[in-house]
Amino acid sequence: MNFADVLFQAAALVFEPRVLITALLAGAFGMFVGAMPGLTATMATALLVPMTFFMEPIPALAAIVSASGMAIFAGDIPGALLRIPGTPASAAYVEDSYRLSMKGKLNLALGTNLLVSCIGGLFGVAVLIAAAPLLAEFALRFTSYEYFWLAALGLSCAIFIASADPLKAGIALLIGLALATVGLDPTTGVPRFTLGQVDLMAGVEFIPAMIGLFALAEVLRGVIRLNRSIPPAPMPRNDGPLFRGVGGVIRHHPKNIARGSLMGTLIGALPGAGADIAAWMAYAVSKRSSKTPEKYGEGHVEGLVDASAANNAAVGGAWIPALVFGIPGDSVTAIVIGVLYMKGLNPGPTVFIQNPQLIYAVFMIFILTTLMMVPLGWAAVKAARQVLRVPPRVLLPIVLSFCIVGSFAMTNSVFGIVIMLAIGLLGWLLEENGFPVAPIILGLVLGPMFERMFMTSMIKSGGELGAFFDRPIAAALGICVLLIWSLALMGALRRLRTRRASVRPT
């Protein structure tokens, strides 16, 4: 069978009414789930799995691809409107999105998110089509040593993301890492810091913690503002075209889009990394290489460009190891592999030979659903903007109810709500004292991976630290991490000397 025949068969599988309608409905569902605080792209995909039992393989894959891709973007909507990231991938740049909205640039923030997300998604698909076997082979070379340094690199980003005060950012990161140690020890299975609570054996759930740090803390601030004699200025209305000014942003930041898309695809191709880590690392690299890093976190569109491109490019990148080797790149592709096995299609190298039309049908579905993101996203933003018309006394209880539902849904127990309340109160206290909360989230995301890979590597090497630099990729990543730490330390010492010199009596 030649290539033209494969493409023709793939197009015949995709471009039929049943598949297109399924993709459209699943995309709308993904938009709704992603826009709800705490309900992730993984949850949107998992909720669709029972429906795929009754579908053919192509409509089932179309539903999953469409829902997961839309949910990643939709998480940006509550972030810009309410300072509540809808999905973990949106948490890296939620501060900039919300600050832009408070400056009357809600359309610019969400319009940039939407179009750059589409561009990043298309880039990820292009790399998936052109270099899937090559990138998957590269990803398979990663062992525990490489993953340790990758996690360390991600944790190092917290200092660059957070604020102008590296000490407070470092303390917040250590709080997140401390919370990540709660639960069973990854090597011995011994309970740690569980306080005798069975519910803490599984650790501190990430989603309730994220809802508490961002959503509940924002609700508490809103309640306090309601009781003040002078109410705060409301968010300016934005009734004009959604994409006004977005073209100029894209023209001014083509390097950021290319860099974020490339980083997202490469990180997404690493099993277990995914869009969340891609967004955090892209935002950190963007801030580090920017000419105006002081504007980040204050409502700067440049960080949005990098991170939005990265988290959507990672969606396509995560399918590379899933399709080529049957290894899930993230939690969504883990569900996809299960669906493929259920349909009698075993992912792996042989699928490119035995069912090439299926692979190219998946590629076409990716392109179709990524382009579909623009009209669906436009409609979702138009509908969500009605939130601005709701008085705070009505809106705050509604937001709190969503926080409770999202926390309960992730743990299926009241204990998830308890975690959300406790960490939300902690986050509010920290922010009131100038501590950033974004590093806490980063510590919770990467902490388990950092510890597990370190312990695994130490066991394999017999406690020999030099083994962390024995492999070429591990050595390169390790040198990058050590350089970043050295530069951060020298910068801190330089600022300390400058401060001492300024207060020294003349």
Side-chain angles (χ1 to χ4, degrees), residues 391-411:
R393 291 185 181 275
V394 177
L395 181 61
L396 291 175
I398 294 173
V399 173
L400 181 60
S401 65
F402 279 129
C403 294
I404 293 171
V405 170
S407 301
F408 181 84
M410 289 308 298
T411 60

Side-chain angles (χ1 to χ4, degrees), residues 463-495:
E464 178 58 49
L465 292 176
F468 285 84
F469 295 91
D470 283 348
R471 297 167 58 85
I473 299 176
L477 289 172
I479 291 170
C480 288
V481 171
L482 294 178
L483 283 174
I484 289 173
W485 291 353
S486 301
L487 290 172
L489 181 61
M490 286 190 293
L493 292 174
R494 192 181 304 115
R495 284 190 296 270

Side-chain angles (χ1 to χ4, degrees), residues 183-219:
L184 296 178
D185 186 286
T187 53
T188 64
V190 175
R192 303 178 303 185
F193 314 119
T194 59
L195 305 176
Q197 295 291 323
V198 176
D199 294 293
L200 281 176
M201 299 278 277
V204 176
E205 290 286 346
F206 167 67
I207 296 300
M210 186 189 76
I211 295 173
L213 284 171
F214 287 103
L216 183 64
E218 195 65 28
V219 169

